Each structure stands twice: as structure tokens, then as C-alpha cells.
Amino acid sequence: MNNTTRISLLTPYLDGDYYGRIFVDLLAEANKNQSTLFTIQARANAKKPIPFHYQVGTSVTDGWLLMTNPHSVLPLAPDLLKRIESTGKPVVTIGYKEDFIKCHSVIIDNRQATREAVLHLIKDHGHRRVAFVVGSDEHIDMVERFEGYLQALTDVGIEYDEGLLFNASDTLRRGGYHAAEQMLARGIDFTAVFASTDLNAMGVIEKLKEIGYRVPEDIAIIGFDDLPPAATFNPPLTTVRQSLTDIAKASFDILHRQMNGEILENSFTRIQTELVIRATCGCKHKPELEQTLDVQNQLVESKMHLEKIIKRYDQFVEKWAMATREKKFNFSNMFKNKSHWGCLALWDKNSGNQNQLIISQAFSKDSKTLPPIGLKVPLDQFPPTEWIPKIKEKDFVRVQSIRNERGDWGFIAIVAPVDDLVFISSSDITQVSFTISASAMERDELFQQIRSIAEQLEIVSTTTNDGIWDWDLYSNHIQWNVRSHDIFTSIGEDLPSNSESFLRLIHPEDYDFFMNSFHSHREKGTPLKIEFRIKGVKGEVLWVYVTGDSIRNETGDPVRIIGSITNISEKKLAEEQIKHLAFHDGLTGLPNRQLFRDRLNLSMEQADRYHFKLGILLIDLDRFKVINDTLGHHAGDQLIQKVAEVLESTIRSSDTIARGGFENSTVARLGGDEFIVLLTHIQDVKEVQLVASRIIDKFKEPFLIENHEVFTSASIGISIYPDNGQNLDDLALCADVAMYKAKENGKNQMVVYTSEINSLSMERFKMENQLRKALERKEFVLHYQPQYDLETNQIIGIEALIRWNSPDRGMVSPVEFIPLAEETGLIVPLGRWVLEESCRQMKTWIDQGISPMIISINISARQIQQKQFVGDVKMILEQTELPPEYLCLEITESTAIKDVEISMNMLKELGELGIKIAIDDFGIGYSSLAMLKQLPITTIKIDRSFIRDMDEDKDDAAIVKAIIAMAHSLELTVTAEGVETEAQRQILLNENCNYVQGYYYKKPLTSEDCYKYFQNMH
């Protein structure tokens, strides 16, 4: 390189109306003053900015220009700034003030310019409500312009309204368009807009004009920047003119003067702005005579630019393919076409830290300036000046960090001319090439790892439980390992020796899917990961999971495919069981509420289309609690099962079905002793009453339970769609009111809902009032049930359980008041009290010397739906001083699924605090593998209904086993609720369940008894 001064420019971008224009002017100034401009970049990341910390070229740079800032997508790390300052070389920041080091700053007076523009709208045009559109806070300019907007409002005594702030997605035209969409969504209650960039302003005008708003007659608008299109825009845009050329020239001039030894009195230089009055603010404006011609020229120029960009991307894709199709990334193929010189330098892994690079690849159009491969270059001297060719006019040296989220490989340096599309945002193909280079370096690194892995395949194949196969596509011969033999012999087949014998075993229903997957992998390289069935000669079927990858030749054609085959039949069975649980009641096998809702929604669509009605029967067993308490839970469950059979047979029986038939009718269990029935194709309510009468008659016959004749009756409430409601909630509520009326009338009867019987809600109203007073009077108490490690029998936590000690009703079970609290919203303050009291109690025990443990608290759907819920939890933890790791929040599956996105975001935020999340009552709600994968949970609690009978009921035992296996495969812990016998404990121990709680261990205790119990345990 010729002996000139070296100026380093740190910047996130080299294109666009801002960065591109300043960069071009800086380069022009450098050429005039016999200086070489080195641009230094990393991979800018707008979503997750990573501070740039590399001390590249710090010992050989004569002066620094920093065109970034702490808000940028490429902020500079403090240690880099201090290193730059320590060199004693002058530093000039462009567009922002850097307070961390001693430097000179060239800035635009954004605050004053914005203040004057907003005051123009207020004072000269009488606007009192002025909206503000900000494009992006990555530019410090945007922050300062917002401050100027606030100052203008303060000057005239207008209070700032947060509803008038609109955040655009970026500083470009599309960002303004999106901001205008927000305006329309909120409702336009303002008369003027100040947009922080011209392009934002143009986007806002474009959207508002689409809707029919007139600018400036309906809404006045001012922009900022005075870009060339502003004068010819329709209407011409009033804007603030800032000279980017003046910024560049002033920045270089100040740096050059300091490099020559001049000492400046001030630490910053302010570039003046000018308010350019045109039409959009409401002022009279005479458009330029050449406006139409200018617009036409702009359109022609834009089309030419677009054609260039498309052509350039085509060339880029071709270069990308050339650079990456070889076994090792070819650096020169990627950059040589547009660049005169370049070198790829990778980190010296033997140096122990990132302070030395080794030249890995290089190219030069002048062979005399080609640096030798293997040359070691200290980072603070990179790129090696002695090997850089003479810099031509419009050429500059571009230095780029090669890294991504998965690795950091070093730096690339190239010498190239300025891009002719430099003023167009996102047109910097070279920047994209750098990003692709990082991916190529990652590929090379992975290739080396794969080679090592391949050498270990022989050893792995002899120890794994999976089958390993190797298919030679030329000879069509397939080799298998020993484990593969076990898989195929289990269905009575020999190992297939070629593709034909293997394809013969694929289940006919899966054949096309299998062939399409293999074809896609061979032709397109689509990952080969498929599940399908193989079928033996005698009909035995296995589910298998096959993965594989291709070895390809020099032309890219596959020559071998190597992979694994795994027997996943047990996994598939477990998945089917869990899917069934998601939509069916575990005790009766009937549809649950979710499946009933889905069928009702479908039936409502058909009813509307074909003009018939639907009947809803809500059935509640009379005296069930007495039977359950007298004969025990097991007998109660048998009764529920027999009732389910009676209901299904009655609905389906030919003597019950009226003419035309109740097509697609459904019997479902809602829980406890409550059932719901859907009858379709109803023309008259008498048809529904007939079915209800038949059900009541059936209940006159005794049920044989454990050699006892058990008599029960049913109270039935009836509602009609669409007469009594448009959805399940409304229809069920009406049927519920009617059912309670039936019980009030003496039970064992049916009642059709009418508005007159709605008075039943008065009793609920009475309980609601008592609940509200109970909160005020502090009538609620907490009991605590210990949780144990199943293997060690050590206490690992406790669950807080609420009770209502009512002076009118006595000690009320949560089963009686929690549903009403949920319905009325009282669950929110009640749940907050439980959370606060539980955390306070646990902290008290810890202070009293009890070993810290996890306290579990049930959280309702209502609480999760509160926007401030996470904030409330944080505040309670701070107030009680309980560490977050000792708190576990339990939610039901139905709670989580009500709004999965909101629930997931809240639970993730709580999990990041260290709070544990558990799924309670697992298996009776909306169980799904998809939900378990999405939610940030740590534990699932198996519902007590499965635990209770698993020592006698094989189905329950199988379900428990499947849930535990599924949970462990997802790396979740499992807690079993309601453990009451040694047999249950032993089964859970054998299945590797983690934790248990129940009467077998300890019933719920008061806080005082719980403390004594903890003391005795120690």
C-alpha cells in the first residue's frame, strides 16, 4: 500500500440514505487528503445487538471515525473504546456524543430542529394535537428528535399524550406505512403528524391517502432529512433539511486537523439545519415546474436500480454456489469478481485468546501483493498494510468480522470500489457475502467434525439400541447392524438385502409418504427424518423412526445413504393414549368438555345451514355424594361408569330416537357426577323432553355396584340452540340454571330453561356477597400438605391449600366456592392473597430455622389473564423476601390453553426469574404433547383420579406409566397426587415417579401443625 495516513471508520452499514451518503463523502475527503479509509464492521444484528469488541488495527490507525452509538445495532464495547483512547490518536464521532472517552463529536441539532418544526405546526397552523412517529431507536438522532418534540409541547403548555406516539418498524417508507396502520387502529384524534424521517412521513401519507384522508387539509405532516424525493412527492413534503455532506466534511476536517496537531477548544461541532416549507404542513407552496419530469426520472431510475439489484443477486447466488460447492469454502470465488485484493484470516487457536490471526486464503489481481498463506498477523495490525496494493480513487479497504450465533472464525479484508447502489438501503450485497462466508466457515468446521464422527460410527453401531443401515445406491445393496436384525425378526422377517425387499415391508398406507420423503431427500437434500409402519408376513405391525443422510459425489449426486432405524411402537402407543386423554374422560371414556365443544360448534354450523335446532341436556346425579361417601370412591367411580353406559345406550336406542334421528348426538362427562348431552336435528322441544324422560325412567332401575343394588336419580336441565344461547358457555349456563331448578323442585326430574327460573342465580349472588365479605373479614385460611421424594422419603416441598372458615356455612371446601370465585372474578384478589400469604409463611419458616423448600401454589386462569400478574408475583417475592427458586406455580392444562401465546409469554418470564412451573391435574383436561413442548414447565402432576385405582385398574396403571415415561422423555419431573396406599406407592416407585403427596404420607396441616411436623422431622 502507498505510504498514506490510515483512517478507520467503525460503522454498522455502508449503504442507505444516511450511512451510505456520509460514507461516500468521507471517502471523497480521504482521497483529497492522501488518506486511506478502512471501514471496520461486524455482523450487525437489529434484534440482538452484540457489542463490537475487537481491537482490530488499533496500533496502526492514525485516526478514528465512529459512525455508531450505544443505541446502534453495532454498539462499541467499553474495552475497545478505552483501547482506542489509549493509543492517543484523535477520535471523531459522527452523529452522536460519546461520553465514555475523550473525543470530538459532530452532531446535528436534532432537538432544536424538531422543536422548531413542531412549533410551526402549533403556532403557525393552530394544531394542538400533534402525533409523533419514530422510526427506530437504533439511531441516537431518533431519541433526540423525540426530545425536541416534547420540548415544543412544553413551550406552549400542551401536555404530552402517550397515545400520540407511534413506533414505526424502521426508518423507511414501509415503517411509516405500518405506523399509519396503528393510527387507524387506535382511531385518529389528532390533526398533525411529525415523522422523524422523510421516508416515514411518506409512508404515513401513502396509507392515509388510501383511506381517504387529505394532506394537509385533514392532517398536516412534516418530515426530517430533506431527501431528494421530498420535493417531488405528492404533495411536496415539508421537512427539516440536514446536510449529510456537511456532516461528513466537518467530521473529516476536524479529524484531519487533529491528526496534524491542532488542539480544538470545543468537544463538539453542531451542524445547522433548516425548516424547508412546502405543502404538507398547510403552507401555500408553488410546486417546481419540473416536478412531473422529476417524478418520471425517479421512476426510470428506480426501475434501473431494481434491475441492477436483481441482476446482482443473481450473480451473488452464482458466486455463493461456486464458493461453497467445493469441499472447502473458496474465498476468492465469493469476492474476486468485484474486489482487487482480499485475504481471509482465521483465529490462531494456539494463541489462547483472540489477539492473533493467521492468513488462510488470499487473492490479488497483482501477484506481487499476495500475502503468504500461514502468515501470522496480530489483530491490532490487521489487515497487513505491507501486502495491500496501491489504493485507487474510489477504492477503500473493507474489514469485516466473520462470526454468527454459533461461531467466531476471524476477519476478512478486501480492497474494492464503492458500490454504485450505495444510497439504496439493504443493497449491500458484499455485506450479505460476509454473512454467507460465516455460514461457509461453520460448514467447513462441521465437515471436520463429521469426518471424526464417521470414524466412530463402527464403534457406535455395535453399542446402540438403534438399527444402523448403509444403502449403496449404485449396487442397491443395504447393510444392517445386529440391532436391526432384532427389529425385523420381531415381525417374522429377514433383514432386507435391497430396496425392493425393504419397500415390500412398508405398510400400504405409509408407502407414498415414505417414497416422497426419500425422493425429496435424494433430489433436494431435504432432511430424512420420518416415522412409518412396517408390516410382517403374518400381519404384525411395528412403528419405526428412520433418519439418514447422503454421501454425495463431486457433482452433488447421492451415492450412499447412511442412517438409523428405531422401533418406536411403545412411544406411538403412549402418544395415542395421551391424545385420547386430551379429548376423553379418563374414567368413562366419554368425550370431555373440549371434544364436546368442538362437536357442538360443528353442529351449530349445520343447524344454521339446514334450519334445525339443538338440544342440550345437563345431567347431575342425585345423592351421588352420599353413595360416594358411604361405599367409597371406588364404588362411586363404578357408578359413574355405569351411568355413562346407560346414557349412551339410551341416546342411541331405537325406541328413544324420534323420527329423523338425532344424528351426531354426543354424550360427554364434564367432571364429577355431571354429564352433558347434545341432541341434533330438533324441530320441537318436546323431542328433547322425550329423551330426558326416557333417561329419568332408566334411572328407576338399580345399579349393581360391588354386590349392592344402588339407586340414584338424575336432575336434568334443558336448553335449546339457538333460543337460549349462541355458544357452549351460554347454553350450559342456561341448562345449569334449569338443572338447579329441577333439584330445587325435588330432584329426579327435568326442567326446560326459561327466563322465569333464572332466579336461581340469586343463591349464587348470595354466596358471592359472602365471598366478598370473607375476603374483607379474613375468613380464609391456608393448610399445607407436604410433598416427598419417592425414593428417599425426604420432604422436598409443600402445597398450599385454601379453606373458607365461614361463620354462616362452617368450614367450606374449595370445591364449593372456587368455581364461583372463578366465575365472578373474585379468584384474582383471592389468588393474590394465597400467593402473598404462602410466600410470607415459607419465609417465616426459613427464618425460624426450617430448611428451605419449594412451596407450590395453584394459579387460576383468571390470574394468568391479568396483564400485571408477573409484576404482582415479583412484588410479592420482593415484599416477603422469599427467593424465587423456592416458589412453584401450578396451573391446569385448561388454564394454559385458554390463550397459549399469552400464557407462554408470562410463564417464560416467570421461569426466567427462577420460579418453577408445574402442570396440575394432568390427564383430565386438554393434555397435548404440543402444549407440553411449548410451555416452559418443569413438573407435571398426575391427577389423583388415575392414582386412586391404578393398583386395581390396568388401564389407569398403563396411563400413569405412559405419562411418567412421556414426562421423563421431555426432561420433566413427575409428582403423583392423592397417594393413599402402600400398593400405589410401590407402583409409582417401580415406574420411577419423582415425587408424591397424599394421605398415605400426610394430610394437609395448619401452619402451626406444619411447623411442629418440620421440627420433628429434624
Side-chain angles (χ1 to χ4, degrees), residues 34-105:
Q34 289 76 49
S35 298
T36 300
L37 192 64
F38 285 69
T39 65
I40 302 175
Q41 294 173 276
R43 179 171 174 262
N45 190 327
K47 294 183 179 179
K48 189 178 180 181
I50 301 174
F52 186 83
H53 65 277
Y54 304 103
Q55 299 180 11
V56 56
T58 51
S59 67
V60 291
T61 295
D62 299 304
W64 293 88
L65 294 168
L66 309 183
M67 194 159 56
T68 180
N69 62 76
H71 296 270
S72 168
V73 295
L74 188 66
L76 303 183
D79 59 343
L80 173 59
L81 288 170
K82 284 298 183 183
R83 170 59 179 149
I84 290 173
E85 183 181 40
S86 70
T87 64
K89 302 301 173 64
V91 179
V92 174
T93 64
I94 303 175
Y96 80 104
K97 291 184 67 176
E98 179 59 71
D99 299 323
F100 193 73
I101 60 173
K102 183 180 179 181
C103 61
H104 193 94
S105 301

Side-chain angles (χ1 to χ4, degrees), residues 302-533:
S302 297
K303 183 178 180 182
M304 292 173 61
H305 286 164
L306 179 61
E307 291 173 350
K308 284 185 178 180
I309 291 173
I310 293 173
K311 182 178 180 180
R312 181 179 297 176
Y313 267 94
D314 288 341
Q315 293 172 345
F316 162 71
V317 171
E318 183 178 351
K319 287 191 296 178
W320 177 19
M322 290 175 59
T324 57
R325 80 165 48 105
E326 300 179 19
K327 288 185 177 181
K328 186 177 181 180
F329 169 59
N330 192 317
F331 164 71
S332 63
N333 283 345
M334 181 70 81
F335 294 99
K336 192 173 183 179
N337 186 37
K338 294 289 186 181
S339 306
H340 309 311
W341 178 93
C343 71
L344 170 64
L346 306 182
W347 294 117
D348 182 0
K349 295 181 179 179
N350 295 324
S351 67
N353 51 38
Q354 292 180 329
N355 58 18
Q356 186 160 266
L357 298 161
I358 299 178
I359 303 298
S360 173
Q361 297 184 47
F363 68 84
S364 177
K365 294 184 178 179
D366 177 5
S367 59
K368 296 179 181 180
T369 60
L370 191 66
I373 304 302
L375 175 68
K376 293 185 178 181
V377 183
L379 177 62
D380 61 1
Q381 298 177 26
F382 185 81
T385 306
E386 64 273 22
W387 294 103
I388 296 178
K390 184 177 181 180
I391 303 300
K392 303 175 183 178
E393 187 177 358
K394 292 189 177 182
D395 280 358
F396 67 103
V397 182
R398 186 166 187 171
V399 183
Q400 176 80 28
S401 168
I402 303 301
R403 73 179 186 189
N404 58 25
E405 292 82 357
R406 293 172 293 276
D408 183 355
W409 291 273
F411 278 85
I412 286 177
I414 60 172
V415 176
V418 176
D419 195 322
D420 57 349
L421 299 179
V422 66
F423 299 143
I424 300 177
S425 295
S426 303
S427 66
D428 189 357
I429 297 297
T430 304
Q431 177 67 26
V432 180
S433 300
F434 288 134
T435 301
I436 294 299
S437 298
S439 299
M441 300 305 299
E442 180 184 4
R443 185 206 66 170
D444 289 353
E445 189 172 87
L446 290 174
F447 182 79
Q448 295 299 323
Q449 295 175 3
I450 291 172
R451 176 177 294 176
S452 175
I453 292 171
E455 294 170 352
Q456 302 170 22
L457 184 60
E458 287 292 327
I459 298 175
V460 173
S461 66
T462 61
T463 59
T464 182
N465 287 327
D466 297 340
I468 304 296
W469 51 271
D470 185 343
W471 179 11
D472 187 323
L473 299 179
Y474 286 158
S475 65
N476 198 30
H477 180 70
I478 304 177
Q479 294 182 350
W480 305 85
N481 73 341
V482 175
R483 177 58 180 145
S484 303
H485 179 269
D486 298 337
I487 293 175
F488 285 97
T489 55
S490 66
I491 58 171
E493 293 287 342
D494 295 328
L495 285 173
S497 59
N498 52 47
S499 62
E500 289 79 9
S501 57
F502 177 71
L503 295 176
R504 176 181 58 81
L505 301 177
I506 297 176
H507 196 286
E509 295 177 5
D510 299 336
Y511 185 85
D512 290 340
F513 165 71
F514 176 88
M515 294 302 297
N516 291 336
S517 298
F518 254 82
H519 177 77
S520 179
H521 172 71
R522 292 185 62 174
E523 300 300 323
K524 303 177 183 178
T526 305
L528 183 61
K529 296 180 179 180
I530 51 176
E531 296 180 356
F532 59 95
R533 289 165 290 179

Side-chain angles (χ1 to χ4, degrees), residues 181-198:
E181 291 177 330
Q182 297 175 35
M183 296 174 181
L184 296 169
R186 293 188 201 173
I188 292 182
D189 60 347
F190 50 84
T191 59
V193 176
F194 179 84
S196 56
T197 70
D198 283 351

Side-chain angles (χ1 to χ4, degrees), residues 945-956:
S945 63
F946 299 115
I947 304 299
R948 184 169 57 236
D949 301 321
M950 67 178 180
D951 52 339
E952 298 180 7
D953 190 317
K954 293 183 179 179
D955 291 338
D956 280 354

